[in-house]
Amino acid sequence: MPLEVPDGDVKSGQITATIVQGGHGFEVAHVFAFHGDMLQDQGIYAMRYSHPEQIMQEIAALTPTFHGVTYAKIERLGSLQWPCNQETGEAGTEIMHVDHFVRGKGRFIITQYAPTDEKVTRKFPLLLTTGRILSQYNVGAQTRRTPNNLWHNEDRLEIHPHDAEERGIRNGDWVSIQSRAGDTVLRARVTGRVAPGVVYTTFHFPESGANVITTDSSDWATNCPEYKVTAVQVMPVAQPSRWQQEYGQFSTIQSALLERRRTATSEQVK
């Protein structure tokens, strides 16, 4: 069944919304209804939906910038551009912030500096920070499907030559990154781009498990996860972490299920 969602281009379109669990497919509306029953039993909120369109109707009714989004309009026009309401064109807003900022200029508030609780120790003497690289976007769900992988085809751990030499790590070696939260394994990139005592990696490939080793700490004001500061130890290893091995098995199963579904769909078309 179709479900309205805004994508990275702030457009609303239709996608197939099915959740697969235990080999069975559930329409998103039915999943909402199931959880809605639990919420109603707790006296919180009942979500009585028989079709995803009803979910979109509720979003449009409660969110001013979505007032003009309907299934019928998307069926007719193909896609809508958010914001879409009585103050915009029928298909929404083609380009935002042309003559002015929609909600006015940004408001900046000075807050008191709060140092992190994450500290290096003898057991975890290095600080890990994570980030992105230009050729990939976030978890790579979009960019990893493109030739961008020619530029960046795996997440690597950047480590300073001094720290690498202390640990017997050479460029390209597999290394374990262990923190208080967990551990994962990546290939090392020995480079002077990072300072001594600091290691860095990206998180564009799910099998790298970068966020397995980051802590649960978050910013007090925005609740933004503290992905930039994690105390770790780095040592050479010869095999993936347990989490990566389990993820590999999970990926193999999921790929097999997907291929089975494609084969069944192809046979139905014939």
Side-chain angles (χ1 to χ4, degrees), residues 3-223:
L3 170 68
E4 307 296 341
V5 294
D7 65 12
D9 237 357
V10 294
K11 290 180 180 177
S12 291
Q14 293 187 357
I15 65 171
T16 299
T18 303
I19 295 177
V20 178
Q21 184 176 11
H24 302 283
F26 301 94
E27 294 178 6
V28 167
H30 295 161
V31 176
F32 270 92
F34 172 75
H35 290 287
D37 289 339
M38 293 191 298
L39 291 175
Q40 185 180 33
D41 292 341
Q42 299 174 32
I44 301 174
Y45 176 60
M47 295 185 287
R48 300 294 184 184
Y49 307 116
S50 59
H51 190 279
E53 183 175 8
Q54 296 170 325
I55 302 173
M56 188 65 248
Q57 289 171 344
E58 183 169 324
I59 293 173
L62 298 175
T63 311
T65 53
F66 279 79
H67 280 347
V69 178
T70 65
Y71 263 45
K73 190 183 291 186
I74 289 179
E75 287 282 359
R76 181 163 48 85
L77 300 178
S79 68
L80 305 176
Q81 195 95 348
W82 170 91
C84 181
N85 53 30
Q86 62 274 14
E87 298 177 2
T88 70
E90 184 181 23
T93 306
E94 183 176 359
I95 302 175
M96 293 182 67
H97 315 305
V98 175
D99 300 315
H100 62 280
F101 293 108
V102 176
R103 295 187 300 173
K105 293 183 178 180
R107 182 184 179 189
F108 293 88
I109 301 174
I110 298 176
T111 60
Q112 185 175 359
Y113 170 70
T116 177
D117 293 330
E118 188 74 359
K119 308 294 183 184
V120 294
T121 63
R122 291 181 63 183
K123 185 175 181 180
F124 303 109
L126 303 173
L127 280 179
L128 167 72
T129 184
T130 64
R132 302 170 178 85
I133 199 167
L134 182 61
S135 63
Q136 298 287 359
Y137 178 73
N138 284 349
V139 296
Q142 298 171 3
T143 49
R144 283 188 291 107
R145 302 179 185 182
T146 72
N148 284 18
N149 282 354
L150 295 174
W151 292 312
H152 186 79
N153 60 0
E154 66 175 321
D155 294 318
R156 289 202 179 195
L157 184 78
E158 297 188 6
I159 184 170
H160 189 271
H162 173 74
D163 296 321
E165 184 178 1
E166 275 192 338
R167 293 162 175 79
I169 297 171
R170 296 169 298 180
N171 194 56
D173 283 353
W174 290 102
V175 295
S176 168
I177 308 101
Q178 185 176 21
S179 72
R180 298 177 182 88
D183 65 286
T184 192
V185 173
L186 299 174
R187 285 206 293 168
R189 176 177 285 125
V190 180
T191 172
R193 289 196 340 141
V194 293
V198 175
V199 291
Y200 168 83
T201 189
T202 51
F203 48 79
H204 302 306
F205 293 80
E207 59 270 22
S208 69
N211 287 340
V212 172
I213 51 180
T214 53
T215 68
D216 293 332
S217 300
S218 60
D219 171 65
W220 66 269
T222 64
N223 205 31

